[in-house]
Amino acid sequence: MYTVPQLTDFSAEALERTVAELFAALESEAAKVTSDSDFKMFRDRWIARKNGILTQVNDVWLKGAPKDAKRDVGARVNALKVKVEEVIASAESRAAAGTSSARVAGERVDVTLPGIHRPIGMEHPVMRTMETIVNVFKAMGYSVGEGPEVETDYYNFESLNFPPNHPARDTQDTIFISGQEQKRQRDRLLLRTHTSPVQIRTMEKHKPPVRIVIPGKVHRNDAADASHSPMFHQVEGLAVDKDITFSDLKGTLDHAMKALFGSSVKTRFYPSFFPFTEPSADVQISCFKCGGTGRLSANEPCRLCKSSGWIELLGCGMVDPNVFEFVKHNGYDPKEITGFAFGMGVERLAMALYDIDDIQLFYAGDVRFLEQFA
Ligand code: DAH
């Protein structure tokens, strides 16, 4: 480590040599600066007011010089200060860039270092569940359709047998598009509250027979909580042909539930109401967690089915003849044909499948939750 020597010989050659030694020390210390903290130590060692090398040079060389050498020593000390400052400035910029001449010279590629890991994305659990449901029906010969998320009052309500101002509309708290007042009611736009409007859109385009599933996003004016979200997903189903009966509906959905939840689940069709089906039913499956007993052990109730032994999963029914009236012109004469329809909430199904107790987890984007499905 360089220390400032005492000067006894003030001859030009002696001064030259002493200054050269100082520069050599300066350069070699500067070359070792690779980081910010290195740089600060280096800078303080050389130019700190108190006891920095420049201060020592001033005290030891200049103040200690005999009168007749003062001029020469002073000039050399001034030149030396300029040089020291230059070297410090360039060390600083190298430290900031994170390199040093020493490191560049000795640099090697370390092939044993772990690489940069960029995790590959995965299908969102809601999308995966939607896909799984759709595939169950594809395997039964259903095709897949889609429809718009911004829908008219006609498709979302009227043609599904919700007449204007009918109280059944209140069961689907609707988000309306603003500025529609000047249009006829049936043309006013809203965010579809269910995927059922695609039933009518499909029957307008295709003559019977029809077997179709329709996955998609829907919106309701519901406050977000553990079981509600203003946006969620549904899969709609529609089968129309001659002689389709309620037992076709039961057989189809019983098979679908077994395909999704395991062959030991039972299904139960519980009377319900939807304007566009008659009769209508809610489909419940026996709880696959507790085996339908309502409890996991003698004193532990089953949370999944709330001790009831049954989980309600979807709505369904026989297509109401009033619905066919809206598409009669395309071969859907209610005297000739019948059909069944069903609609299920994808999140609700995913929550049952994966035992998730808060729907908001699907939308929070927390990787710790999502990566469990990878
Ligand atoms: N669209 C209904 C809802 O969102 C669900 C539904 C029930 C769809 C019965 C159907 C059906 O196709 O037949 O609450």
Side-chain angles (χ1 to χ4, degrees), residues 172 194 196 199 220 234 236-237 274 276-277 315-317 341-343:
Q172 304 199 351
H194 49 179
S196 305
Q199 290 187 24
R220 302 238 178 133
Q234 291 186 333
E236 188 80 16
F274 300 99
F276 40 92
T277 45
C316 67
F342 56 87

Side-chain angles (χ1 to χ4, degrees), residues 160 162 171-172 193-197 199 218 220 232 234-238 273-274 276-277 280-282 314-319 340-344:
L160 289 167
F162 293 79
T171 61
Q172 304 199 351
T193 56
H194 49 179
T195 42
S196 305
Q199 290 187 24
V218 303
R220 302 238 178 133
F232 58 102
Q234 291 186 333
V235 175
E236 188 80 16
L238 177 69
F273 174 78
F274 300 99
F276 40 92
T277 45
S280 305
D282 284 329
L314 66 143
C316 67
M318 301 306 291
V319 178
F340 65 74
F342 56 87
M344 53 188 106

Side-chain angles (χ1 to χ4, degrees), residues 32-243:
K32 290 184 191 120
V33 171
T34 61
S35 67
D36 234 36
S37 65
D38 287 353
F39 168 73
K40 284 186 181 129
M41 268 164 51
F42 169 67
R43 179 197 59 195
D44 293 348
R45 178 167 146 74
W46 284 84
I47 58 171
R49 265 293 147 72
K50 219 171 136 190
N51 230 24
I53 289 175
L54 280 189
T55 306
Q56 291 178 44
V57 163
N58 225 38
D59 291 350
V60 178
W61 294 359
L62 191 57
K63 288 185 187 152
K67 256 207 176 105
D68 56 349
K70 276 233 155 78
R71 224 189 138 81
D72 188 19
V73 175
R76 288 177 195 271
V77 168
N78 283 340
L80 187 148
K81 279 184 184 159
V82 174
K83 167 89 174 169
V84 169
E85 263 147 29
E86 268 171 32
V87 172
I88 286 179
S90 80
E92 181 171 28
S93 52
R94 268 187 291 109
T99 59
S100 75
S101 48
R103 189 149 111 198
V104 169
E107 201 167 36
R108 295 278 183 284
V109 174
D110 183 350
V111 295
T112 69
L113 280 174
I116 296 167
H117 180 63
R118 294 191 204 287
I120 304 172
M122 47 150 295
E123 211 173 21
H124 191 281
V126 170
M127 292 300 127
R128 187 201 285 179
T129 306
M130 194 148 88
E131 186 88 4
T132 306
I133 298 167
V134 165
N135 284 338
V136 166
F137 289 95
K138 267 191 186 169
M140 288 190 266
Y142 282 64
S143 50
V144 184
E146 282 183 320
E149 287 169 33
V150 178
E151 195 44 288
T152 60
D153 185 284
Y154 176 75
Y155 286 112
N156 196 80
F157 289 126
E158 192 180 334
S159 64
L160 289 167
N161 200 30
F162 293 79
N165 305 315
H166 194 279
R169 291 181 173 222
D170 294 348
T171 61
Q172 304 199 351
D173 211 346
T174 309
I175 297 173
F176 296 93
I177 306 289
S178 64
Q180 305 288 303
E181 297 75 14
Q182 76 286 7
K183 295 183 181 170
R184 290 181 305 174
Q185 173 152 10
R186 55 162 49 191
D187 296 331
R188 293 183 193 165
L189 298 175
L190 45 81
L191 297 186
R192 69 176 178 194
T193 56
H194 49 179
T195 42
S196 305
V198 193
Q199 290 187 24
I200 299 287
R201 288 184 173 277
T202 303
M203 291 189 282
E204 283 180 344
K205 271 201 248 112
H206 304 284
K207 296 194 185 306
V210 159
R211 280 163 185 74
I212 192 168
V213 278
I214 302 128
K217 195 178 276 186
V218 303
H219 293 80
R220 302 238 178 133
N221 188 21
D222 285 333
D225 65 22
S227 54
H228 294 84
S229 163
M231 184 284 299
F232 58 102
H233 300 79
Q234 291 186 333
V235 175
E236 188 80 16
L238 177 69
V240 182
D241 206 339
K242 289 200 166 81
D243 300 325

